[in-house]
Amino acid sequence: MTTVRITTAEALVRYLVAQRTEVDGREVPLYPGVLAIFGHGNVTSLGHALEQHRDEIPVWRGQTEEGMGLAAVAFGKATRRRQVMVCTSSIGPGATNMVTAAGVAMANRLPALFISGDAFTSRLPDPVLQQVEHFGDPTTTVNDSFRPVVRYWDRISHPAQLLTSLPQVTRTLLDPADCGPVFLGLPQDVAATAYDYPEGFFEPVVHRVPRPRADREELVAAAAALRAAERPVLIAGGGVHYSLAEAELADFAQRHGIPVVETVAGKSSLVADHPRYAGPVGVTGAPEPNEACAAADVVLAVGTRLNDFVTGSWTLFDDRARIVALNTARFDASKHLATPVVGDARESLMELSALLGDWSAPQEWTDHGTALQHRLLEFVAGRVADDGGLPLSYAQIVGAVHRRARAEDYVVAAAGGLPGEVNVNWLSRSVASFDCEYGFSCMGYEIAGAWGAAFAREQDGGEVFALVGDGSYLMLNSEIYSSVLSGKKMVVIVCDNGGFAVIERLQKSQGGNSYNNMLRDSTGPGSDVRVDFVAHAASLGAHATRAGSIAELEAAVDAARSHDRTSVIVVDVRESDWTEGGLFWQVGVPEVSELDTVREARTVHEAGIATQRRGV
């Protein structure tokens, strides 16, 4: 066996460089880049190795470790899990700052590789700077905090361990059923240690994501359920995107006359003018698709976890409705007493369609789905229309950006009031053009996520739009500067409603008083102070402007296309003008309270609980 004597860190980088994949028929790097903030623990060994390979795997400097991590997650979504961005940090706080980003990746089943420095395996210099000591277990470091939020976790305590660990890392990141984030801890002394590695370990390998086929009997059972249906509905989840099954979904729905509703993760599985498109489902959805699901007798759930926002905390479906869950993950396919079909979405939809033959849903139901689509479009048109009022509503802002957007553009949003607004009011013109992080509901994802998406969308020729509230902007905005440094342009729309308005909405809707959410009722003498978002964004190197009307916003969006770097557009937004899907959502309402409004909310809460579909 021919070997090469190199450090552990050098071996890690060489392995990453050697991994390849296919995207749209092109061979490309599986790990196309590294987002890094260097510090002790990763700068002297891993940083050195990365510098030596800078032409093969570029390093991009982030401003916060969390922001880098969120960018990596968004990159994984934008590439539809076909490429993986790497993030590296120092030991201690640099590492723990990435735990939230790992949680986002874990909740959304998205790939990202996190590599952090770790304590010395020799323990001779202990305790080192930033080391948290556990008196009863010296093997524990802060890197153990990643364990609950990654699919694969390893600490490399000997150079040879890379030979077994790194192939498992890659398999996990590409596994269609178990895909999720990976963490590697790299102790400082191990990273610098040399070892005789087999040269064959660094030979280029082209990876292809497997497409597991469903069991024939499971497909037969699913076909039988659909054949017996009078009112079938198909729910498209994020798995449609990751299987690249959008065309097969469109054909399946059209051929069999089944209305299609989309989850937040599955949005843009169909374009909005597809004949079978019925709209976004759930708490952040619209009344029309929710009406379709409530009436359904068979629900074909494709690539979705069916979380509480999709199902209205399991109050949406009729108790007698049968759920057929098509998913690569058996864990998801077997939930809630569903009829499981465990397999790849694209292949399984084609095989299921072949079994169904010329069967289609009753024409009356298909026509009803078309009527619901027309009603949805009328509903959206009313929400986004200029009513002459100022400040603008969220829906009007979404509508204005949408009117100026093009099919090749990509939109990013996340927590707060925006998920409901973009999910309903953004009508997709192209597939896989939408990312609203609502699995972990992570405030701060929007700007960092748009930066990550900009890496992935460079070849598409469109703009990446980030819609973000003032609260999320204040939580994490520094990746605006990262986008300027890296030349990865985005257009950020900052919607300023003076605080955490959507949480105040929840607070008040459940009987509570407004408290500690809006700036106007914050404790302290500075509650009348406001942030100048335009000046702040400009100080980070972005083009920045304020828009006070729909016309000004549309003009600012048009102007942003000609800018040579990231643009930020600030718009004041109404505090309370929300697009409602009309579904119940279970939250913790106090069982006893001195407020009549809370007691009334508890009564409504208990009535909702009574309608829940029960299953595991």
Side-chain angles (χ1 to χ4, degrees):
M1 180 182 294
T2 305
T3 61
V4 56
R5 188 165 183 79
I6 54 177
T7 67
T8 306
E10 172 71 14
L12 172 56
V13 173
R14 288 194 189 186
Y15 175 87
L16 296 177
V17 169
Q19 309 312 302
R20 312 286 291 175
T21 187
E22 285 188 357
V23 174
D24 300 331
R26 297 178 296 113
E27 184 182 313
V28 297
L30 176 60
Y31 301 101
V34 179
L35 304 176
I37 293 178
F38 289 139
H40 82 282
N42 72 337
V43 67
T44 54
S45 294
L46 183 59
H48 171 65
L50 287 168
E51 189 275 329
Q52 295 293 294
H53 294 273
R54 62 190 306 163
D55 294 332
E56 300 164 285
I57 184 166
V59 173
W60 305 94
R61 184 185 183 279
Q63 311 314 306
T64 69
E65 290 88 357
E66 180 183 350
M68 294 186 328
L70 294 176
V73 177
F75 177 86
K77 173 70 182 284
T79 62
R80 291 190 270 178
R81 305 200 309 198
R82 291 177 293 174
Q83 287 181 288
V84 182
M85 194 68 81
V86 182
C87 291
T88 180
S89 78
S90 63
I91 66 177
T96 56
N97 284 346
M98 296 195 296
V99 171
T100 295
V104 172
M106 186 74 166
N108 289 280
R109 317 288 173 85
L110 290 169
L113 174 55
F114 299 96
I115 304 173
S116 292
D118 212 327
F120 287 88
T121 56
S122 71
R123 303 180 191 166
L124 293 177
D126 286 4
V128 299
L129 179 66
Q130 298 181 334
Q131 182 175 353
V132 175
E133 295 181 279
H134 288 256
F135 303 153
D137 184 359
T139 67
T140 298
T141 74
V142 296
N143 286 339
D144 289 270
S145 62
F146 281 91
R147 289 181 183 270
V149 288
V150 295
R151 290 279 184 229
Y152 184 90
W153 185 100
D154 198 3
R155 176 180 288 121
I156 305 302
S157 56
H158 188 281
Q161 290 177 351
L162 287 184
L163 297 170
T164 56
S165 187
L166 289 181
Q168 294 300 327
V169 166
T170 296
R171 291 189 189 104
T172 300
L173 292 166
L174 293 177
D175 190 288
D178 294 333
C179 180
V182 167
F183 174 81
L184 288 180
L186 202 58
Q188 291 191 70
D189 49 353
V190 176
T193 300
Y195 182 76
D196 295 320
Y197 285 96
E199 286 189 344
F201 190 60
F202 308 113
E203 288 293 321
V205 178
V206 179
H207 298 273
R208 294 173 178 84
V209 177
R211 292 188 176 276
R213 270 47 172 190
D215 177 77
R216 180 72 177 180
E217 294 306 314
E218 290 184 346
L219 286 167
V220 168
L226 284 170
R227 282 185 173 278
E230 295 292 326
R231 300 175 304 280
V233 167
L234 191 154
I235 299 180
V240 173
H241 291 310
Y242 309 137
S243 177
L244 310 181
E246 295 92 349
E248 288 71 22
L249 170 69
D251 291 343
F252 183 93
Q254 182 66 5
R255 179 179 181 184
H256 302 295
I258 302 177
V260 175
V261 302
E262 295 174 326
T263 70
V264 175
K267 188 173 175 66
S268 73
S269 293
L270 289 183
V271 292
D273 60 0
H274 187 281
R276 300 283 74 80
Y277 178 68
V281 67
V283 178
T284 53
E288 292 76 18
N290 288 339
E291 178 183 322
C293 287
D297 57 355
V298 173
V299 176
L300 175 58
V302 181
T304 171
R305 301 181 297 147
L306 293 177
N307 70 10
D308 64 337
F309 259 75
V310 172
T311 66
S313 298
W314 285 96
T315 64
L316 175 58
F317 308 121
D318 188 282
D319 281 344
R320 296 161 295 181
R322 184 171 179 180
I323 296 172
V324 178
L326 196 173
N327 207 294
T328 52
R330 182 169 297 280
F331 180 82
D332 292 319
S334 303
K335 289 177 178 175
H336 302 286
L337 307 180
T339 298
V341 179
V342 181
D344 175 76
R346 190 186 77 179
E347 301 303 315
S348 298
L349 282 173
M350 290 192 294
E351 292 176 1
L352 184 56
S353 185
L355 285 173
L356 289 172
D358 60 0
W359 173 87
S360 64
Q363 189 62 47
E364 181 181 359
W365 177 249
T366 302
D367 292 343
H368 180 62
T370 301
L372 289 176
Q373 183 191 54
H374 293 160
R375 280 173 45 193
L376 170 71
L377 297 179
E378 292 173 1
F379 176 73
V380 172
R383 291 295 304 158
V384 303
D386 188 353
D387 59 8
L390 291 175
L392 302 177
S393 69
Y394 269 124
Q396 289 169 339
I397 292 170
V398 172
V401 177
H402 181 270
R403 282 190 293 274
R404 309 313 299 168
R406 302 170 183 170
E408 61 269 25
D409 293 335
Y410 191 84
V411 64
V412 178
L418 277 164
E421 303 300 327
V422 294
N423 198 34
V424 174
N425 299 305
W426 188 275
L427 301 173
S428 301
R429 295 191 179 98
S430 59
V431 300
S433 58
F434 180 93
D435 176 10
C436 181
E437 195 293 292
Y438 216 49
F440 210 53
S441 185
C442 183
M443 296 182 72
Y445 176 88
E446 302 91 334
I447 292 171
W451 181 43
F455 279 94
R457 302 282 297 186
E458 279 188 299
Q459 305 302 318
D460 297 298
E463 300 287 350
V464 175
F465 291 100
L467 281 81
V468 58
D470 56 306
S472 276
Y473 181 98
L474 289 173
M475 283 192 176
L476 190 58
N477 53 65
S478 54
E479 306 317 326
I480 290 175
Y481 186 49
S482 297
S483 76
V484 173
L485 280 178
S486 60
K488 309 303 178 185
K489 180 188 171 188
M490 56 192 180
V491 180
V492 180
I493 316 296
V494 181
C495 303
D496 184 3
N497 58 18
F500 301 140
V502 76
I503 292 300
E504 188 212 30
R505 168 196 182 193
L506 176 63
Q507 186 177 48
K508 293 171 67 175
S509 70
Q510 301 306 316
N513 298 319
S514 179
Y515 182 63
N516 194 47
N517 283 313
M518 304 307 293
L519 297 175
R520 54 176 157 69
D521 64 12
S522 297
T523 303
S527 61
D528 60 339
V529 175
R530 298 294 181 267
V531 174
D532 186 339
F533 292 106
V534 173
H536 185 272
S539 75
L540 293 175
H543 287 278
T545 188
R546 177 175 289 277
S549 67
I550 290 177
E552 290 180 5
L553 176 55
E554 291 184 353
V557 170
D558 287 343
R561 288 192 182 276
S562 64
H563 293 162
D564 61 349
R565 61 185 185 275
T566 289
S567 297
V568 175
I569 305 167
V570 181
V571 191
D572 288 337
V573 189
R574 298 172 195 172
E575 281 188 18
S576 54
D577 186 350
W578 309 99
T579 301
E580 298 280 359
L583 282 192
F584 172 77
W585 182 41
Q586 184 176 355
V587 294
V589 183
E591 190 171 1
V592 295
S593 172
E594 296 181 357
L595 294 180
D596 291 340
T597 51
V598 172
R599 293 196 295 272
E600 292 167 2
R602 178 69 188 193
T603 300
V604 173
H605 170 81
E606 291 174 349
I609 294 295
T611 67
Q612 276 183 321
R613 178 187 175 107
R614 308 216 172 165
V616 295

